[in-house]
Amino acid sequence: MIKYLYTLLVGVLVLDSSAFAAAASNDDLEKELAYLAAERQVVITASKIEEHVDKTIATTTVITQNDIQHIGARNLLDVLRLVPGIGITQNQIGLREIEVRGVKTFLSEKVQIMLNGHPLDHNLQNAGSTWVYDDLPVDTIKRVEVVRGPGSALYGANAFLAVINIITQNAKDLNGVQTSAGWGSFDTQQYRASWGKQFDNSAEAALHFNFTDTNGINSSIPADSLSVQGLNSAAPGRSQLTEGRYDLEWQLGYQDFKLDGRYINKKAGTFFGASSILSDDRTRQDYNDYFLRLSRTWKVQDKLTIDTQIFHDFFSYDNVWQTASNQFLRAGLQDTRTGGEIQANYHISDAQTVIGGFSYAKEQQGGLIDESGPDPAHLRPALSTTEERTRGRWGVYIEDVWDPLKNVRVTLGARYDRYSDFGGTFNPRMGFNWEFIKNYSLKFSYGTAYRAPAFGELSIINNPVLLGNPALKPEEVKTFETGIIAHPVAGLTAQATYYHSAINQLILQTFGQTTLLRYDNNGSWIAEGVELETRYDFDGNWQGSYVSANYVLQHSTQLNRQLADVPRHRTNLTANWAIDNTWSSFGHVLIKDSTLRNPGDTRNDVPGYALFDMGLLGKNMFGKKVDISFNVYNVFDKRYYDPAPTGLSFIGDYQMAGRTFFGHVSLKF
């Protein structure tokens, strides 16, 4: 197989020799490289204003569309894997977990994911955004801005450990029609069609349609795992997560008005675990998610602009799970969030900008489904019931970004949020960035953040096992970090960051008096560590070649004990070699340390591993109309595992995919 693909790629190289001759001139190439470099140097998410990444007080990583293409990313999580301090794992129901700075939770609810600045935590029952956005396709992404550390001073709820802002292509970026298709292992298919146009009368429109389908990871289930479930006659099976999704995104603009949003439908089977070990094709997950936003920027005067928006978010699921050979559960609900925000931006001078804003939202949950029975065709209402809920929340914030000296930036800000069901929370932010020597900057920041209790944690549940708690308070984190950014020579960037986070009022399941478990604010974690990262971009005839590396040492503890399922060390090594103006190849190595088990879990630690990916990319072929790529992941077919939780220790850990392939073609018209 590999020999055949190699021969095919060599053939393409030979046939396309005429295209090499017609490639862009060196001047055009230099302009393109300069533009791409500038794209990586600017960030908006860190302070809600455009800043150079070297001047912001936040620890920020920017991944451009060009970077995404060169690393062979298939979805959002492929992009995030390369960010320092971020790790990706998969749990027993197939939901991906985003670990940030040594903290990982089942629902990734302590990470705020945004699309073009709009928060995507529409799942009010379980808080996290990974239910439908974990496998977001990347073909339409222009850039991803990852801000590590607390962000509630600007963004409010759930901007707890990190803010991930996905910025997609607009009408100007597209300027016509673009299509793409990808195929890979496990019968994976990806298709995309985009159209964008700017009109003479100050109007613009952009539309994106994506479709993805895959049979997912296919790994063996040991026979003894099945026998523990009382299925001694069952043969060894396989864990497999089938997934299919389609989504439509729109960006419509007229003069200063803009209407944008995205609709996603996602259907999935199940991966492997206590709720799915017996599952057949009658087990299903069905999610619908959309948001609609109308916004306008008002220019009051040269120094003062006002941004206004109203929005409506919707999330629903209708899931059927098999829990025993003759037992099924069906659960479903609908969540909505409707509100608006107004933000004033006042540029006092070239050295100082002040922003302030007010937001309001009403959150509702209804359409509740809770049924059980011997098969999906014969389900009845279960004993467990959850009340419908409504809450209102508002927030007010202010921030001052000021350069008292040419080489010093000071940022001060704070936000107060008030909820109708659990009260208020205040979160400040402050820091400075000082270029003490030319091309060497020192920065320091301190901030707090909160994670709002979800409806599923607050609700009074008539359940013999788990009880909600309407008296819950939000989780809190206090973080300070300091670091240095250096550019010792042209093309080389190096950064070192130390962080310390104290997390309190954790919402955890504890033993109750009337039920086996209940939600309580019980427990605290300490997360501290060092993040080292560097990148060198070659110039001259290297035409965009670069090497990069990042390493994290993280120490996250509860009661002075290292947290389970989180590695102490993680390293990423990446190299991109531009063969000529058209072709480039990349290699990536991920090295992950072993992880501990929870107290009382007698299994050995989850072993660490090293994975090697590689790929070949051809850009701007055939008159700059065609891009193609071919990527191989886990080249050496390494067997590695994501950890199963202590309560599912009888299952064994979850074996991840071996060697896989993915090819991709993109066309511009």
Side-chain angles (χ1 to χ4, degrees):
M1 176 68 176
I2 295 177
K3 181 177 180 181
Y4 169 76
L5 292 170
Y6 175 78
T7 304
L8 178 63
L9 289 171
V10 171
V12 171
L13 284 167
V14 174
L15 290 173
D16 195 42
S17 58
S18 60
F20 293 162
S25 66
N26 287 335
D27 289 342
D28 291 337
L29 180 62
E30 289 177 2
K31 292 179 181 178
E32 180 180 0
L33 293 176
Y35 169 77
L36 295 174
E39 278 279 283
R40 286 194 304 274
Q41 295 169 359
V42 175
V43 62
I44 299 173
T45 311
S47 296
K48 283 197 172 184
I49 63 172
E50 186 174 291
E51 292 183 288
H52 194 287
V53 293
D54 284 357
K55 296 208 72 173
T56 179
I57 66 168
T59 303
T60 304
T61 300
V62 177
I63 305 103
T64 67
Q65 184 182 35
N66 188 64
D67 296 329
I68 292 171
Q69 291 177 326
H70 279 99
I71 63 176
R74 296 156 293 185
N75 53 49
L76 175 63
L77 296 187
D78 280 346
V79 177
L80 297 180
R81 290 177 199 275
L82 274 70
V83 177
I86 290 186
I88 306 297
T89 51
Q90 184 163 290
N91 60 36
Q92 63 267 26
I93 64 172
L95 190 65
R96 281 77 174 192
E97 302 161 323
I98 302 176
E99 170 214 321
V100 179
R101 289 183 162 178
V103 175
K104 184 184 76 168
T105 58
F106 189 79
L107 301 172
S108 305
E109 75 284 349
K110 296 176 177 60
V111 180
Q112 180 62 273
I113 301 177
M114 303 192 300
L115 183 69
N116 297 318
H118 185 72
L120 300 177
D121 53 343
H122 307 160
N123 184 347
L124 305 176
Q125 179 74 8
N126 295 308
S129 306
T130 53
W131 295 91
V132 293
Y133 289 97
D134 56 350
D135 58 347
L136 192 75
V138 298
D139 283 357
T140 62
I141 294 178
K142 182 179 179 180
R143 57 196 278 122
V144 178
E145 299 181 354
V146 182
V147 180
R148 303 188 293 284
S152 290
L154 285 176
Y155 297 105
N158 305 341
F160 196 82
L161 297 174
V163 176
I164 300 168
N165 191 12
I166 307 157
I167 301 170
T168 55
Q169 296 171 305
N170 56 29
K172 182 178 179 181
D173 300 320
L174 293 167
N175 191 31
V177 176
Q178 296 183 14
T179 63
S180 62
W183 305 271
S185 302
F186 309 129
D187 298 322
T188 299
Q189 305 175 65
Q190 285 188 358
Y191 303 101
R192 184 263 301 206
S194 299
W195 169 80
K197 183 176 177 60
Q198 288 186 303
F199 301 93
D200 293 337
N201 59 349
S202 303
E204 63 179 14
L207 298 172
H208 302 289
F209 176 79
N210 293 279
F211 173 81
T212 302
D213 186 76
T214 181
N215 284 336
I217 296 173
N218 197 331
S219 303
S220 62
I221 300 174
D224 56 353
S225 293
L226 297 172
S227 63
V228 172
Q229 292 288 324
L231 300 177
N232 295 309
S233 60
R238 307 196 71 81
S239 60
Q240 190 166 356
L241 178 64
T242 59
E243 292 180 296
R245 63 176 293 141
Y246 61 86
D247 65 71
L248 177 67
E249 181 187 345
W250 56 91
Q251 300 179 31
L252 309 174
Y254 179 71
Q255 294 184 351
D256 294 325
F257 287 95
K258 183 177 181 181
L259 179 68
D260 68 325
R262 189 163 191 153
Y263 169 77
I264 296 175
N265 174 262
K266 179 176 178 179
K267 291 181 171 61
T270 190
F271 182 52
F272 180 61
S275 61
S276 56
I277 191 169
L278 304 172
S279 296
D280 53 29
D281 57 7
R282 293 177 293 178
T283 291
R284 59 172 173 79
Q285 302 179 65
D286 190 351
Y287 302 95
N288 286 280
D289 183 288
Y290 73 80
F291 77 88
L292 185 65
R293 175 176 58 175
L294 177 64
S295 59
R296 181 178 179 178
T297 297
W298 309 75
K299 186 174 181 180
V300 180
Q301 54 180 260
D302 289 343
K303 292 185 176 182
L304 177 63
T305 59
I306 297 177
D307 298 324
T308 58
Q309 60 171 298
I310 55 175
F311 57 84
H312 179 72
D313 304 338
F314 175 90
F315 173 84
S316 71
Y317 66 79
D318 187 349
N319 297 340
V320 175
W321 303 97
Q322 185 180 14
T323 58
S325 58
N326 61 347
Q327 184 67 33
F328 286 80
L329 298 178
R330 181 186 176 203
L333 53 77
Q334 294 182 358
D335 292 326
T336 61
R337 176 187 291 152
T338 304
E341 183 171 353
I342 181 170
Q343 177 179 306
N345 313 285
Y346 186 59
H347 301 280
I348 298 175
S349 66
D350 291 340
Q352 188 172 17
T353 299
V354 176
I355 68 170
F358 174 82
S359 66
Y360 173 81
K362 181 180 180 180
E363 301 178 336
Q364 294 179 288
Q365 183 173 94
L368 303 169
I369 302 171
D370 190 0
E371 299 174 345
S372 63
D375 62 73
H378 300 87
L379 299 176
R380 295 181 178 181
L383 293 176
S384 172
T385 57
T386 304
E387 79 240 17
E388 297 186 357
R389 292 191 66 96
T390 299
R391 73 180 175 196
R393 62 180 176 91
W394 57 267
V396 58
Y397 59 91
I398 188 169
E399 180 184 61
D400 184 4
V401 180
W402 177 40
D403 297 342
L405 300 173
K406 186 177 180 180
N407 62 335
V408 176
R409 168 156 297 177
V410 177
T411 300
L412 302 172
R415 176 173 177 137
Y416 179 79
D417 290 275
R418 185 79 183 180
Y419 287 71
S420 61
D421 49 4
F422 64 79
T425 175
F426 176 74
N427 293 277
R429 177 195 189 210
M430 61 195 74
F432 69 86
N433 187 308
W434 172 36
E435 187 180 24
F436 59 96
I437 302 176
K438 184 175 176 58
N439 295 325
Y440 291 81
S441 297
L442 175 68
K443 60 182 181 179
F444 172 88
S445 66
Y446 169 82
T448 71
Y450 74 99
R451 201 274 286 182
F455 280 166
E457 298 161 336
L458 290 165
S459 297
I460 300 175
I461 305 172
N462 180 21
N463 186 308
V465 177
L466 180 62
L467 183 68
N469 184 355
L472 287 175
K473 298 298 182 182
E475 296 180 336
E476 298 177 348
V477 62
K478 299 178 181 179
T479 300
F480 74 84
E481 54 187 270
T482 185
I484 186 169
I485 304 174
H487 302 277
V489 297
L492 177 62
T493 300
Q495 181 169 340
T497 304
Y498 168 78
Y499 65 87
H500 182 281
S501 297
I503 304 173
N504 297 300
Q505 296 188 174
L506 280 165
I507 300 175
L508 302 173
Q509 294 179 6
T510 61
F511 291 105
Q513 295 180 349
T514 59
T515 58
L516 178 62
L517 296 170
R518 63 168 277 164
Y519 287 108
D520 278 310
N521 293 111
N522 184 23
S524 61
W525 294 340
I526 297 294
E528 61 180 341
V530 175
E531 299 166 347
L532 306 176
E533 50 190 310
T534 185
R535 173 169 170 147
Y536 183 68
D537 290 275
F538 297 93
D539 56 7
N541 294 327
W542 289 86
Q543 302 165 336
S545 299
Y546 69 87
V547 293
S548 67
N550 61 66
Y551 164 77
V552 295
L553 169 63
Q554 50 194 27
H555 184 57
S556 304
T557 60
Q558 182 179 31
L559 299 176
N560 296 319
R561 188 185 190 279
Q562 177 78 22
L563 293 182
D565 302 335
V566 174
R568 189 79 180 270
H569 309 272
R570 186 188 294 109
T571 302
N572 280 288
L573 306 172
T574 306
N576 181 73
W577 174 43
I579 302 169
D580 53 32
N581 292 356
T582 301
W583 293 94
S584 62
S585 61
F586 89 95
H588 168 238
V589 177
L590 168 64
I591 305 172
K592 180 180 177 181
D593 194 16
S594 60
T595 61
L596 298 176
R597 302 289 188 182
N598 279 303
D601 192 328
T602 59
R603 292 175 295 170
N604 294 328
D605 294 346
V606 182
Y609 54 82
L611 303 178
F612 176 53
D613 306 330
M614 61 183 301
L616 182 66
L617 172 66
K619 293 188 64 177
N620 299 322
M621 302 168 62
F622 306 107
K624 295 188 175 182
K625 300 294 185 182
V626 180
D627 296 342
I628 68 170
S629 64
F630 179 75
N631 304 286
V632 185
Y633 308 92
N634 194 1
V635 172
F636 299 113
D637 202 20
K638 173 70 175 178
R639 179 177 296 184
Y640 69 104
Y641 300 85
D642 282 346
T646 301
L648 302 177
S649 58
F650 61 84
I651 293 173
D653 294 312
Y654 309 132
Q655 184 176 331
M656 295 291 101
R659 184 187 301 114
T660 57
F661 307 88
F662 190 73
H664 188 266
V665 179
S666 178
L667 306 176
K668 301 175 185 177
F669 300 95

